[in-house]
Amino acid sequence: MLEPAEGVPPLIEDAAALPDAAARLAAGSGPVAVDAERASGYRYSARAYLVQLRREGAGSFLVDPIACGGDLSVLGDALRGVEWVLHAASQDLACLAEVGMRPDSLFDTELAGRLVGYPRVGLGPLTEHLLGVRLQKGHGAADWSRRPLPDDWLTYAALDVELLIELRDAVAADLERQDKTVWAEQEFEAVRLAPPPPPRAEPWRRTSGMHKVRRPAQLAVVRELWESRDELAAARDVAPGRLLPDAAIVDAALREPAGREELIAMPVFRGRAQRRLGDRWWSAIARARALDRTQWPAAAAQPDGPPPAHRWGDKDPAAAARLAAARAALAGLSERTGTPVENLVTPDLVRRLCWSPPELPDAAGTADAGTVAAALADLGARPWQAELAAPLLAEALRAQPAPVDEPS
């Protein structure tokens, strides 16, 4: 499919046109297909630069939220009580909420596809597999903050919602055949109501290539350069990596340049754009070097939860045995249900449960499953997940490490 059946709708770039679009959407029938385009990799913010909608009886709409003043709440209000169909909804809900659009009901075709067990759940492969239609692709990673938006980009954007309702119906039919409709409904509601993720502790530690940096004094340089770059990126609304690549931050920490001139003689830093920012980057390095050693970062981040699983055998062999048994049991469940393990119960939740298990009764039985189900719910599992996995995990939590042969 190279273009929508009804052609590419005109781009709405005036807030005065929104009430008419809202009235047409409200007069439509059935679910509404919704998508949003961001400028990830180009902009610091995750705002929506284009919103696409389609509903039976109303047609398709392409809306520029920037040109419309950043407020599309009139469209959101027109769709109260309507099921919204999105693909990979968790990626778009935050930027849609930012412009005043929040669903009352949700169907996520990508998440549903994972539950069904399709081998490929991208919008293009899923549409081709279920509907026999290949969509024109190619602009998903484009800079959607660009203005004016090219015509072929608008075609691509309109196609993203062209068949989304038909795709929803096809996936829903497979969910029903596999008795997974309730699973999906609970998952969709969890996505819809999910709060924003909390700020990361020490986000600078996610700098690519950090594994090369060992000494705390060098870690301090990475932290100061990262935070200086982040501050500037936020002020300019530019993706941080476009100001200074992660590799350059790590390189500066490892090479330990003696002064500004030596810094800007290094690869990347010698470029014209970097030379203009040379004072900023050198000031960050100088601040790091002026720190007392008590102010240096710890060599490793404080763990949020259990240690890495590969260390459990040494730290807690019993926990390692529980985790191995749990993984084996869930792998079998995944094979039986056709649903990926990570969708049955998230790996982090399994690790937390096995590292700090609830106290189980002395004898195996239904009480064990109830205790584990309650623990799973406390950790954020949905009811369907707890019901399905609790009996298996209750048994796994009783696993014991293999005895170690004593030297003769």
Side-chain angles (χ1 to χ4, degrees):
M1 180 174 282
L2 299 178
E3 64 176 37
E6 301 160 7
V8 180
L11 180 63
I12 297 175
E13 301 177 274
D14 186 347
L18 292 176
D20 178 66
R24 290 169 57 193
L25 284 165
S29 61
V32 59
V34 184
D35 191 24
E37 305 295 346
R38 300 176 307 282
S40 303
Y42 295 91
R43 296 291 180 176
Y44 184 89
S45 65
R47 67 192 304 186
Y49 286 93
L50 184 71
V51 174
Q52 308 102 281
L53 306 102
R54 180 174 178 80
R55 194 179 187 197
E56 183 69 30
S60 295
F61 301 83
L62 300 178
V63 184
D64 182 344
I66 309 302
C68 292
D71 182 4
L72 306 185
S73 56
V74 63
L75 300 181
D77 292 343
L79 297 169
R80 293 270 74 88
V82 175
E83 178 187 88
W84 294 23
V85 181
L86 291 94
H87 191 81
S90 61
Q91 299 179 18
D92 289 339
L93 288 180
C95 69
L96 288 168
E98 189 178 7
V99 296
M101 299 183 65
R102 297 174 178 84
D104 293 330
S105 176
L106 178 68
F107 191 105
D108 184 333
T109 50
E110 190 228 27
L111 180 51
R114 293 185 186 279
L115 295 175
V116 169
Y118 300 130
R120 302 171 65 199
V121 294
L123 180 60
L126 211 54
T127 302
E128 186 172 356
H129 172 66
L130 291 175
L131 304 180
V133 178
R134 182 177 299 175
L135 296 176
Q136 180 182 346
K137 304 297 286 182
H139 301 296
D143 178 8
W144 288 89
S145 66
R146 173 180 168 182
R147 293 295 184 271
L149 289 168
D151 289 343
D152 57 333
W153 292 19
L154 296 175
T155 300
Y156 160 87
L159 287 173
D160 270 357
V161 293
E162 177 76 4
L163 299 174
L164 201 52
I165 302 301
E166 289 90 335
L167 183 63
R168 173 244 184 264
D169 292 341
V171 181
D174 279 349
L175 286 170
E176 188 66 26
R177 277 192 289 272
Q178 295 184 12
D179 293 325
K180 295 176 179 176
T181 299
V182 172
W183 299 11
E185 290 171 349
Q186 292 179 16
E187 290 299 297
F188 299 158
E189 191 67 358
V191 170
R192 187 181 75 86
L193 298 177
R200 289 187 180 277
E202 300 185 308
W204 58 272
R205 288 191 185 269
R206 294 175 61 83
T207 304
S208 180
M210 273 286 293
H211 63 281
K212 303 175 186 176
V213 185
R214 305 284 186 180
R215 291 167 38 211
Q218 294 174 330
L219 291 172
V221 171
V222 172
R223 181 179 63 188
E224 292 295 331
L225 278 171
W226 189 96
E227 290 180 348
S228 180
R229 181 188 68 173
D230 194 67
E231 179 183 32
L232 184 61
R236 294 185 177 182
D237 195 15
V238 174
R242 291 187 166 268
L243 291 176
L244 185 67
D246 280 7
I249 291 178
V250 171
D251 199 27
L254 294 175
R255 290 200 186 196
E256 300 181 337
R260 179 187 181 279
E261 294 308 310
E262 191 172 323
L263 174 70
I264 63 175
M266 291 170 52
V268 177
F269 288 96
R270 70 166 66 105
R272 182 181 302 175
Q274 296 304 332
R275 291 177 70 87
R276 287 199 296 268
L277 293 169
D279 288 342
R280 183 183 190 91
W281 306 140
W282 177 248
S283 294
I285 293 173
R287 284 196 303 274
R289 292 181 179 173
L291 293 173
D292 184 82
R293 65 176 55 240
T294 60
Q295 298 173 295
W296 289 346
Q302 287 293 106
D304 176 22
H310 67 271
R311 298 180 185 168
W312 287 25
D314 295 328
K315 288 179 174 290
D316 189 338
R322 293 192 292 266
L323 182 61
R327 285 175 167 174
L330 291 172
L333 180 61
S334 173
E335 187 173 348
R336 293 192 298 275
T337 61
T339 296
V341 170
E342 60 270 21
N343 291 107
L344 292 173
V345 187
T346 62
D348 178 66
L349 190 155
V350 175
R351 286 192 295 269
R352 290 174 184 270
L353 183 73
C354 291
W355 185 255
S356 302
E359 185 174 342
L360 297 178
D362 292 335
T366 57
D368 294 24
T371 301
V372 173
L376 288 170
D378 288 343
L379 289 168
R382 261 67 76 191
W384 75 268
Q385 294 175 317
E387 180 182 358
L388 200 64
L392 300 175
L393 292 176
E395 183 176 350
L397 292 180
R398 294 184 178 278
Q400 297 294 322
V404 178
D405 293 333
E406 293 291 337
S408 55

